Amino acid sequence: MNRKMKFIAGPCVIESAELLDTVAERIVAINRSLGTDIIFKASFDKANRTSVSSFRGPGLEKGLQMLADVRAKWGLKLLTDIHEPVQAAPVGEVVDVIQIPAFLCRQTDLVIAAARTGRIVNIKKAQFLSGPDMKYPYEKALDAGAREIWLTERGNSFGYNNLVVDFRNIPDMLEIAPTVIMDCTHSVQRPGAAGGKTGGDRRFVPAMAYAAKAFGANGFFFEVHPDPDNAKSDGPNMLRLDDLENLVKNLLQ
C-alpha cells in the first residue's frame, strides 16, 4: 500500500467557476513547488446545512461538469462527497475519491454504492462514533469491492455546539485502514453555533494538523478559500488559501 503523505484541499462548496479556478491554480503551484499531489476537493451539494436558507451549491449535474472542467484545465485529482446511493455512479465517472460524509458513514447502501464504483472511498468518522467503531463502515466498503479505503478523523460531539478531537482515534483507525486522514478544518467547527449556521475557529487548524501528525496521521484535509470570511459555507473554520502552502511545507518536514 502507498504510505506517502496525502493532502486534500479545496473550497467547502462550489460557489462559482472563478472560485474553483482560483483555488486550483494555487494548488497546482503548491504541487509544483513542494512536489506534492494535493487532491482538489469541492462539494456540488451541501445536503446537511443547518438552515433551509443556507447555500447548498449548484447540484449534481452542473457541479460534476464544473469539477470535470477543473480536471481538464488544471490536471488535478478530484474528491467530492455523496449523500444518496444514486449519486455514486455519476460521481464515480468524474472523481478519483468518493467521500462519505461523517453523518452518513453508517448508511450501508451509501457506502456500498460508493465502493462499487471502483474509486477510492474516503469514509469520514461520525461525530458520534469512536475510532474502533470505524471497523464496520470499512468492512462494508471492503466487502462491496472497494480497492482502497481511507478513514478520516473529524472530531466528536461532547455537548452542544462544539467538537472535541480525541487524537487516539488516529492510531486506532490505523489498525483498521492503512490511510487515516485528519480533517483539520471541520474539526474546529462549532456546529450550529452561529445563528442557524456552523461557526468555528480557524486559528486552531495548524495545531490540529501537527497534533494529528504526531499521532501517526498520513493524510491531511483542508478546506480553503481566498476570502473565508465571505465564503458561502464553513467560512469560520476554513483555512485562508494564502496559508496553505506554508502549512503543507511544515507537515512535510
Side-chain angles (χ1 to χ4, degrees), residues 93-133:
E93 294 295 321
V94 175
V95 307
D96 302 274
V97 185
I98 297 178
Q99 183 166 280
I100 305 298
F103 284 127
L104 301 179
C105 75
R106 292 183 65 180
Q107 297 297 108
T108 301
D109 289 344
L110 187 68
V111 173
I112 288 173
R116 286 178 175 168
T117 66
R119 297 299 187 180
I120 297 168
V121 180
N122 182 35
I123 309 176
K124 298 184 74 173
K125 181 182 71 61
Q127 298 89 331
F128 47 83
L129 293 180
S130 71
D133 287 333

Side-chain angles (χ1 to χ4, degrees), residues 70-166:
V70 168
R71 179 195 294 280
K73 184 174 181 178
W74 300 104
L76 291 167
K77 294 178 182 175
L78 302 174
L79 176 150
T80 198
D81 38 14
I82 61 172
H83 293 83
E84 302 175 64
V86 71
Q87 295 174 339
V91 169
E93 294 295 321
V94 175
V95 307
D96 302 274
V97 185
I98 297 178
Q99 183 166 280
I100 305 298
F103 284 127
L104 301 179
C105 75
R106 292 183 65 180
Q107 297 297 108
T108 301
D109 289 344
L110 187 68
V111 173
I112 288 173
R116 286 178 175 168
T117 66
R119 297 299 187 180
I120 297 168
V121 180
N122 182 35
I123 309 176
K124 298 184 74 173
K125 181 182 71 61
Q127 298 89 331
F128 47 83
L129 293 180
S130 71
D133 287 333
M134 291 303 292
K135 169 185 176 182
Y136 304 105
Y138 182 90
E139 288 177 343
K140 290 176 185 178
L142 193 66
D143 185 68
R147 295 193 297 267
E148 187 170 351
I149 307 160
W150 305 345
L151 300 179
T152 293
E153 167 62 33
R154 55 98 70 241
N156 283 81
S157 295
F158 289 100
Y160 300 103
N161 303 127
N162 210 346
L163 294 170
V164 175
V165 177
D166 182 347

